[in-house]
Amino acid sequence: MKRTLLAAVLALLLGGAQAEPVPSPLSNDDIPRILAFGPWPPPPVRDPSNRVSGQPAAIAWGAALFTDARLARGQALACASCHQPQRGFSDGQPVAQGLERGTRNTSGLMDIGQQRWFGWDGANDNLWAQSLRPLIDPREMGGSLASVATTVREHADLRDGYRRAFGTAPGGDDERVAVDVAKALAAYQETLVSARTPFDDFRDTLQRGDRAGIAAYPLPAQRGLALFLGRGRCYVCHAGPAFSNGEFHDVGVPFFVAKGQVDAGRHAGISGLKASRYNLLGSFNDDATRASATSTRHVVQEHRHFGEFKVPSLRNLAATAPYMHNGSQRTLREVLRHYSELDENRLHADGESILVPLRLTPGETDDLLAFLDSLNPAR
């Protein structure tokens, strides 16, 4: 299709004044795909599996717990030690460093309330289970169900916070109290929504047919967006307002952790999900209908899941380097080089047929970087 400036196209579609067409990398066919990336921010959605989701008292207590080192063994670190606000709630390290060094990159927490699966391998199907995991993982915060519950009972401010959030004093069931701590942490994290971006302004002006607003979106970003939607086919996985389909893919990043040690990714994540006491099929789900557990009930482990990892959001990328599940790519330019020079032999034979080496020119790389930069909040 002949490419024209979107402003001129919309002027004609919406019955506006005639405009002289100007060459543009974007076409009429791109319009619905661009509009599908919004609107932003999405409306808040309460998590039915968490009875304190969206409750101000629980959100406030969860925010306090997030920075409280008393929950960790030896009071050595807090959630905020690895999830730092100034880094998009990531830590800037290739792999996480808790009480011990991990094997995966610390994911940012912005917009985490919009997700369906949690963790690089999706081993949790709800945010409160994902929040409980580091509290009781010996490699991360090193606590236990008993130590978390005991800490809450022994400190007056924590007892008061629990009472305000849940309407009762912490009881004698250690597991129940620890899960409630995680539910308060989840209620807080649901409020972490990334700010609007220049792309969002462009998308909304496109929807309105605001020619001046459309023209304000830089041409390099437009060219990068055209690549994203066209030859790159990036939108297939980086879909929707969050720029992620929330699923798992093999993108050719090595999954060897050390000699003789492999990170199985989604394959192992499904095993962990099915075995978890805290999945949405279990007794700690506050959704009596269990409608929230539909995806968990039907998920099937397949051979292709080996070495697959979750598609991350592209929003707020400037704050969350390094990239990939193992933090192996220091910069976005390195990420684009990976896809430009993709080694198809690293992909499963039954894997990602949509992925081919993009063979980007330096100019195309710069354009894609300009588009990705437009997904960061305006500075």
Side-chain angles (χ1 to χ4, degrees), residues 36-96:
F37 291 124
W40 193 266
V45 178
R46 182 182 172 276
D47 177 4
S49 76
N50 180 358
R51 67 191 184 282
V52 297
S53 173
Q55 299 298 314
I59 293 168
W61 193 46
L65 290 170
F66 195 81
T67 59
D68 197 328
R70 289 176 293 180
L71 297 176
R73 186 175 74 230
Q75 302 186 25
L77 70 168
C79 301
S81 300
C82 294
H83 295 287
Q84 302 161 17
Q86 71 275 19
R87 296 182 182 273
F89 289 86
S90 62
D91 62 3
Q93 303 299 316
V95 296

Side-chain angles (χ1 to χ4, degrees), residues 249-291:
H249 300 276
D250 172 15
V251 296
V253 175
F255 41 80
F256 293 99
V257 177
K259 186 175 182 180
Q261 184 180 356
V262 174
D263 187 338
R266 181 60 169 158
H267 194 274
I270 292 175
S271 295
L273 173 70
K274 294 288 192 180
S276 174
R277 286 176 52 79
Y278 310 111
N279 69 33
L280 293 176
L281 296 171
S283 62
F284 292 96
N285 182 353
D286 294 327
D287 176 14
T289 71
R290 291 299 187 270

Side-chain angles (χ1 to χ4, degrees), residues 286-299:
D286 294 327
D287 176 14
T289 71
R290 291 299 187 270
S292 55
T294 300
S295 295
T296 305
R297 186 176 292 112
H298 294 291
V299 71

Side-chain angles (χ1 to χ4, degrees), residues 103-157:
T103 57
R104 292 178 181 163
N105 181 252
T106 300
S107 297
L109 299 181
M110 299 301 291
D111 311 319
I112 195 170
Q114 303 293 319
Q115 298 180 17
R116 175 172 61 178
W117 308 111
F118 298 87
W120 281 106
D121 59 4
N124 289 302
D125 59 2
N126 65 81
L127 184 51
W128 46 268
Q130 180 68 13
S131 301
L132 179 64
R133 184 193 57 76
L135 294 177
I136 61 177
D137 188 323
R139 300 164 301 173
E140 295 195 43
M141 296 178 71
S144 65
L145 298 172
S147 69
V148 170
T150 298
T151 298
V152 171
R153 295 191 198 101
E154 287 184 346
H155 293 86
D157 62 320

Side-chain angles (χ1 to χ4, degrees), residues 297-374:
R297 186 176 292 112
H298 294 291
V299 71
V300 176
Q301 186 185 60
E302 299 178 10
H303 178 265
R304 67 178 178 84
H305 291 131
F306 197 93
E308 290 185 345
F309 297 90
K310 191 167 71 174
V311 176
S313 172
L314 298 182
R315 289 184 175 273
N316 208 38
L317 279 174
T320 57
Y323 306 102
M324 302 301 195
H325 75 273
N326 58 1
S328 59
Q329 310 295 311
R330 295 172 299 169
T331 67
L332 287 174
R333 192 174 291 275
E334 290 185 8
V335 173
L336 295 182
R337 184 183 303 122
H338 167 78
Y339 287 109
S340 183
E341 303 171 357
L342 183 72
D343 182 356
E344 295 178 87
N345 292 323
R346 287 191 175 276
L347 301 176
H348 296 320
D350 57 352
E352 308 302 319
S353 59
I354 65 169
L355 289 179
V356 296
L358 294 181
R359 306 303 183 204
L360 299 171
T361 67
E364 288 173 330
T365 297
D366 289 342
D367 289 340
L368 275 169
L369 289 172
F371 165 63
L372 293 174
D373 188 56
S374 79

